[in-house]
Amino acid sequence: MQSTVDIAAETLQLLEWERLAAQLAQFASCELGRQLCLALPLASEQKEAQRLLTETTELLGLDGLLEGGLSFVGVVDLTNFLKLCAKGGCASGEALLELAETLAAARRLRRQIDDPLLRPVTTALLEGLRTLPELEQKLRFALEDGGRVADRASSSLEGLRRQLLGQRQERQQRLQDLLRRLAAQLQDNVIAQRHGRPVLAVKASAAAQFQGQVHDSSASGGTVFIEPQVVISLGNRIAELEAQEREAERRILLQLSAAVGAEIDSLLALQKCLGRLDMGLARARYSSWLGAVKPELGGQHWQLRELRHPLLMWQERREGGQPVVPVSLQIDPNLRVVAITGPNTGGKTVALKSLGLAALMARAGLFLPCVGTAKVPWCAAVLADIGDEQSLQQNLSTFSGHVKRIARILAAIEALQSRNGEGLAPALVLLDEVGAGTDPSEGSALATALLQQLAATVQLSVATTHFGELKALKYNDPRFENASVEFDEASLRPTYRLLWGIPGRSNALAVARRLGLPEAVLQAAATLLENQGTSTVNSVISGLEAQRQRQQEAAEEAAALLMRAELLHEELQQRWLQQQQIKLEQQGQARNQLVGSIREGQKEVRQLIRRLRQGDAGGEDARTAGQRLKLLEATHRSVVANQQPKGWMPSVGDRVRLLSLGKAAEVLAIADGGKELQLRCGVLRLTVPLEGIEGLQGEKAVPPAPPQKALAFIPVDVKSSASSSIRTSRNSVDVRGMRVHEAEALVEEHLRRCRGTLWVVHGVGSGRLKRGLRSWLEGLAYVDKVCDATQDEGGPGCSVVWLR
């Protein structure tokens, strides 16, 4: 187990995890969160990593909703201060006042965050959290701004300070009187201070006639600073009173420190919670700065589109570095080893580090700097061998250093397997230049055996290499895949893009030509490569690259053709809808004409009946009216017959006519209760409404009648409804005589227990308490409105708080 910890820590060092943590710490709001960000712990279980990701999501959403974002103003790291109070020490007034500010900030943050429905994970952090409003009130009562102990904290302290003030004023008056009377003997008319005592600047020639205590003299010797005799006794009395004042202040500070020490457990829990919240907010803001997306953690599929290295993004944005070229990784579950080949300085190592950092960031609750949907399997460990391990002190060559680190990686994998049981170890292994540093044939054989071992034991391994033998493993083992970094032969420079499915060429001769190596040497090297058969392999790889290019162009053409087909389908759909609208309008006009004809017929019948009753109509008139009614009846029946459905409904596999195209199509599926059909018409797959098709014989499709839904009976909670509008002792709170912050703390406790409406009795008085409470209540998200109570319930002296 120790070897697993050692190699995991070494991997963090290789991937520069500390640099990423330091960048994250710059987004923290207080020292508590900053220290946690610098440590940046990794989740040991997938469930914990999922919780961290959800916490980051919730805080990111809340930070965007609040104006100015979540604020940690007032939150201070009180670790040493709390330790002092726990041991019975005496804390300073400034530290105690900082604790009061932290408690107030914690209570404000809890009000903003606490929402179990919208933020269940973050709200769970606040369970059992105590913001200790009584302790905050006690500290603010006893201390003034700057941490000075207030006079109101103790009657004895107040009396001492009153005596001090009187003694100081009397001494000042005596000194001012001496300045006026002895102005001729003084060098200056200013009362100076020496060793905490007031002195006068007396001329050296008059010092012998001046009664008092000499405290200092000027550098030239022309001035002597003397405390007059008439104020020495007063000064001694003031010094005694000041000592008594300090002792009284110390007693009060000790009492306050003891009160803090009594709540040490709650305060430590509060500080831990604030630190975790600030770290979560830093993760959210850092992820937003990166433009990152939340990954789907778990499963076996890797999908990272346009992944950017976060440290390189920092260099680009903060330090004016080069633009970051993204890499895309899509690794199927059946793949176990990916071999990345290509020229040096082509971006192979950056791709390795980007993938390793992505797995670690997901474990730490950070979003990933890529686009689209990011999918990352759970990796309990990320193990890497990157860089040159040559060490003169340990007498290690490059090859020896690599072998020792790989041995530790294999031991860590074995430990993971034994801990998780049978199957693949949930780990990501990153190997840079595997098998390098020794004889090529032996290094290639060793690298092949190592990768085959990793394919059988590890979830995923990614290795960079120049060995041609490793490129051929894909064609004998489906667990292997090739990738390469692209090289532009026209400019003889790498593009840093990652290509999947084909191996890369080292392009050593092309790079050497660009760097100015003589052509004769290059020709000789090319001849030797051809004799070794390497040229043939490179030709095959070049052919594969050309084929990939052609396939990519064909895919782009197919995508363009599909886009045009979709546009055509949309246009046809619009035309069909227009035709349907015209048809409906025409049917409406015909229906209106029929209704008009019926009304005319009814009018004629009424007139005929009236004439028959009066004896003015004959048999011919009755016969004519009857024919007219028969004609209207026949017309009405034909219209109704045309509008009546035939009752035909297509089934899956039937052939129907697509009205918008006038062509036959096959029914693939029926959705939305028979109102939508999925059709295949030639190469097109369409989803059309039922009205857009008909049978091959002209039958009109009619959807099945929807089932009748019974009306659900919704019970009414009479007790809840009644209790929200009736004032009782449970939903009333009396805050008369309190300060505004005291009343806020008490009202807040009642609001958390209240369901419906709360009556707050504050009295009329000067109106300051009412205005303060109203201003605070109206700023709470869960308060709907606040208004005065009715006259029989208190009138202006009572506010009714309605909760959402």
Short mmCIF file of all heavy atoms in Angstrom, two decimals, residues 22 32 35 49 88 111 258 285 348 496 500 509 620 727 754:
data_model
loop_
_atom_site.label_atom_id
_atom_site.label_comp_id
_atom_site.label_asym_id
_atom_site.label_seq_id
_atom_site.Cartn_x
_atom_site.Cartn_y
_atom_site.Cartn_z
N ALA A 22 -2.20 25.72 -6.98
CA ALA A 22 -1.86 27.12 -6.69
C ALA A 22 -2.70 28.07 -7.54
O ALA A 22 -3.11 29.15 -7.07
CB ALA A 22 -0.37 27.35 -6.95
N LEU A 32 -8.96 30.43 4.75
CA LEU A 32 -9.38 29.05 5.01
C LEU A 32 -9.49 28.26 3.71
O LEU A 32 -8.95 27.17 3.58
CB LEU A 32 -10.72 29.05 5.74
CG LEU A 32 -10.74 29.55 7.18
CD1 LEU A 32 -12.18 29.69 7.67
CD2 LEU A 32 -9.96 28.60 8.08
N GLN A 35 -5.97 27.75 1.83
CA GLN A 35 -5.13 26.66 2.32
C GLN A 35 -5.66 25.29 1.87
O GLN A 35 -4.89 24.40 1.51
CB GLN A 35 -5.06 26.70 3.86
CG GLN A 35 -4.33 27.92 4.40
CD GLN A 35 -2.88 27.99 3.92
OE1 GLN A 35 -2.20 26.98 3.78
NE2 GLN A 35 -2.41 29.20 3.66
N ALA A 49 -16.43 11.74 -5.20
CA ALA A 49 -16.13 12.59 -6.35
C ALA A 49 -17.42 13.13 -6.98
O ALA A 49 -17.49 14.30 -7.38
CB ALA A 49 -15.32 11.82 -7.38
N GLY A 88 -7.27 28.17 27.64
CA GLY A 88 -7.48 29.09 28.75
C GLY A 88 -6.70 30.37 28.63
O GLY A 88 -6.61 31.13 29.61
N ARG A 111 -27.99 31.65 5.25
CA ARG A 111 -29.27 32.11 4.70
C ARG A 111 -29.27 32.05 3.18
O ARG A 111 -30.28 31.71 2.56
CB ARG A 111 -29.55 33.55 5.16
CG ARG A 111 -29.95 33.68 6.61
CD ARG A 111 -30.63 35.01 6.86
NE ARG A 111 -29.78 36.14 6.51
CZ ARG A 111 -29.00 36.79 7.36
NH1 ARG A 111 -28.95 36.41 8.63
NH2 ARG A 111 -28.26 37.80 6.97
N ALA A 258 -12.84 32.72 27.63
CA ALA A 258 -13.39 31.49 28.22
C ALA A 258 -14.71 31.12 27.57
O ALA A 258 -15.00 29.94 27.35
CB ALA A 258 -13.57 31.67 29.72
N ARG A 285 -15.61 28.84 -9.56
CA ARG A 285 -15.14 30.02 -10.29
C ARG A 285 -13.96 29.69 -11.21
O ARG A 285 -13.85 30.23 -12.31
CB ARG A 285 -14.75 31.12 -9.29
CG ARG A 285 -15.96 31.71 -8.58
CD ARG A 285 -15.58 32.73 -7.51
NE ARG A 285 -16.76 33.37 -6.95
CZ ARG A 285 -16.74 34.22 -5.93
NH1 ARG A 285 -15.59 34.52 -5.33
NH2 ARG A 285 -17.86 34.76 -5.49
N LYS A 348 3.05 14.88 -27.95
CA LYS A 348 2.66 13.60 -27.35
C LYS A 348 2.60 13.70 -25.84
O LYS A 348 1.64 13.25 -25.20
CB LYS A 348 3.65 12.49 -27.77
CG LYS A 348 3.75 12.26 -29.26
CD LYS A 348 4.54 11.02 -29.60
CE LYS A 348 5.99 11.07 -29.10
NZ LYS A 348 6.76 12.15 -29.76
N TYR A 496 0.44 19.74 -33.59
CA TYR A 496 0.03 19.42 -32.22
C TYR A 496 -1.39 18.84 -32.14
O TYR A 496 -1.94 18.72 -31.05
CB TYR A 496 0.11 20.67 -31.31
CG TYR A 496 1.47 21.30 -31.29
CD1 TYR A 496 1.70 22.50 -31.95
CD2 TYR A 496 2.55 20.69 -30.67
CE1 TYR A 496 2.94 23.09 -31.97
CE2 TYR A 496 3.81 21.26 -30.67
CZ TYR A 496 4.00 22.47 -31.33
OH TYR A 496 5.24 23.04 -31.35
N TRP A 500 -6.47 9.83 -34.66
CA TRP A 500 -6.77 8.51 -34.14
C TRP A 500 -6.84 7.48 -35.27
O TRP A 500 -7.25 7.78 -36.38
CB TRP A 500 -8.11 8.52 -33.39
CG TRP A 500 -8.00 9.20 -32.07
CD1 TRP A 500 -8.13 10.52 -31.82
CD2 TRP A 500 -7.68 8.58 -30.83
NE1 TRP A 500 -7.93 10.79 -30.50
CE2 TRP A 500 -7.66 9.61 -29.86
CE3 TRP A 500 -7.43 7.28 -30.43
CZ2 TRP A 500 -7.39 9.37 -28.53
CZ3 TRP A 500 -7.17 7.04 -29.11
CH2 TRP A 500 -7.14 8.07 -28.18
N LEU A 509 14.16 12.54 -40.59
CA LEU A 509 14.90 13.10 -41.73
C LEU A 509 14.35 14.47 -42.11
O LEU A 509 15.12 15.37 -42.44
CB LEU A 509 14.84 12.14 -42.91
CG LEU A 509 15.47 10.76 -42.70
CD1 LEU A 509 15.42 9.96 -43.98
CD2 LEU A 509 16.90 10.88 -42.21
N GLU A 620 -98.60 23.67 -54.38
CA GLU A 620 -97.35 23.87 -55.13
C GLU A 620 -96.27 24.49 -54.26
O GLU A 620 -95.10 24.13 -54.34
CB GLU A 620 -97.64 24.76 -56.35
CG GLU A 620 -96.43 24.99 -57.25
CD GLU A 620 -95.95 23.70 -57.87
OE1 GLU A 620 -96.74 22.74 -58.02
OE2 GLU A 620 -94.73 23.62 -58.18
N ARG A 727 -53.31 33.88 14.47
CA ARG A 727 -52.18 34.18 15.33
C ARG A 727 -52.27 33.36 16.60
O ARG A 727 -53.30 33.32 17.27
CB ARG A 727 -52.16 35.67 15.66
CG ARG A 727 -51.01 36.05 16.59
CD ARG A 727 -51.01 37.53 16.87
NE ARG A 727 -50.01 37.86 17.86
CZ ARG A 727 -49.83 39.08 18.37
NH1 ARG A 727 -50.61 40.08 17.96
NH2 ARG A 727 -48.90 39.30 19.28
N CYS A 754 -41.21 28.17 11.75
CA CYS A 754 -42.55 28.60 11.39
C CYS A 754 -42.97 28.01 10.05
O CYS A 754 -42.15 27.80 9.16
CB CYS A 754 -42.60 30.13 11.33
SG CYS A 754 -44.25 30.76 10.97
#
